[in-house]
Amino acid sequence: MKPAKTRQTLIAPEEWQDMPWGSYFHDALTYHLQPYFGKLYGTHLLKIGTLSGKIDTSSCAISHQVNVSLSGEGGGVIAEDTRLPFLSKSVDACLLAHTLSWSQDPHQVLRETDRVLADDGWIILSGFNPYSLIGLGKLVPGLRHRIPWNGRMFSKGRLIDWLSILNYEIIFRSGFQVIPWKPQGGNIISTHLPAIGAVNIVVARKRTYPLILNKNQSVARAPGIRAAVNVTRQLSENKNHDTGE
C-alpha cells in the first residue's frame, strides 16, 4: 500500500467541468448526498476544497455555510486545508468532496478537520474509487498526468480506517456509477455492485467517549480494601483487650 503523504505536486481542478464528464459526476454526487444534507444540524457548515464549494447544499438546515479553498472563490475563506483558520470544535459539519484526491497530506487534512469539528459533528467524504473503470485509467500512461487521473484515489476501506483511528462512527458508506452516454445506465451498478462504482461516499460522525471506571477492576480492588479494614479492626480489638479496656 502506498503511503498517504506524497511530495508530488498535485494540480487540483478549479471546476468539476475541468475533468472529463465532470458535470455528470457533480450532478450525481449532489443527488446522492441530498438525503444526508437533510440530517445535518447546527450553526456552521464547512465546505473544504474548491470542488466542495460547488456542491449544492441548500437543502441543509445549517444556515451559515463557509467555503474554504486556496482561491477563495465565491467570497469564501482563503486558507490551506491543512491549516484551517478556525477555533477547535467550532464547526458542526464538514464536506470534503474529492478534497483528499488532490491533497499531498490527506492525514493532516483529516486531523485538521477533526480539530475544528465539534463533538458529534458530521464529516462527509467523497472520492474516486481506484477499483472502478475510472480507476483503471491510472494504468494508462497517457492519462496519468491528466485530471482526474493525476489525483489520488483511495478505497472506501482505507477512508474508513482513517476515520476509525480518529474515533468516528461510520453512518453510511457506498459508491455509485456514472455512465455519461446513458444517464440512467449506472443505476444497476450503483444498486447491485456499489463496490465498483466510480465514486465512493463515506458519511461519519465524530464520537467522544468519556472515561469510565472498569467494573472488573473495581470489583477486584474491593476484597483488598475489606481485608485491610478487617486487619485494622482486629489489631484495635487486641490492643483494647491487652489494656483491659
Side-chain angles (χ1 to χ4, degrees), residues 41-223:
Y41 57 87
T43 307
H44 305 291
L45 167 64
L46 205 59
K47 301 162 75 171
I48 303 175
T50 304
L51 297 182
S52 299
K54 304 296 182 180
I55 301 296
D56 181 13
T57 56
S58 58
S59 62
C60 178
I62 300 178
S63 58
H64 187 224
Q65 303 181 9
V66 180
N67 301 340
V68 180
S69 66
L70 289 176
S71 63
E73 186 176 353
V77 176
I78 301 176
E80 298 179 358
D81 51 15
T82 55
R83 299 177 62 184
L84 299 174
F86 303 100
L87 295 175
S88 299
K89 298 187 178 183
S90 61
V91 177
D92 302 291
C94 291
L95 171 64
L96 291 86
H98 286 54
T99 305
L100 302 182
S101 300
W102 284 277
S103 172
Q104 291 182 297
D105 193 353
H107 285 175
Q108 179 58 29
V109 174
L110 288 178
R111 284 193 292 265
E112 189 66 358
T113 302
D114 176 70
R115 181 187 67 81
V116 302
L117 197 60
D119 295 341
D120 292 327
W122 295 75
I123 184 172
I124 301 176
L125 302 176
S126 73
F128 288 115
N129 182 9
Y131 306 121
S132 64
L133 292 177
I134 195 170
L136 294 177
K138 293 183 72 69
L139 302 177
V140 181
L143 297 178
R144 292 178 182 175
H145 301 292
R146 295 176 55 188
I147 297 174
W149 299 280
N150 67 334
R152 321 285 298 282
M153 296 186 183
F154 303 110
S155 67
K156 191 161 51 260
R158 197 171 185 186
L159 295 176
I160 292 173
D161 286 343
W162 292 348
L163 292 175
S164 298
I165 292 175
L166 292 174
N167 203 26
Y168 280 76
E169 177 187 0
I170 306 302
I171 304 299
F172 174 78
R173 54 183 176 179
S174 187
F176 63 86
Q177 182 65 30
V178 175
I179 302 179
W181 54 89
K182 191 175 182 182
Q184 302 300 325
N187 291 343
I188 295 178
I189 296 179
S190 300
T191 303
H192 302 287
L193 296 171
I196 62 173
V199 178
N200 287 328
I201 295 177
V202 178
V203 181
R205 295 193 72 179
K206 181 178 181 178
R207 299 302 191 189
T208 302
Y209 300 101
L211 294 176
I212 301 176
L213 179 64
N214 190 318
K215 294 182 179 180
N216 295 329
Q217 293 180 352
S218 62
V219 172
R221 292 193 186 109

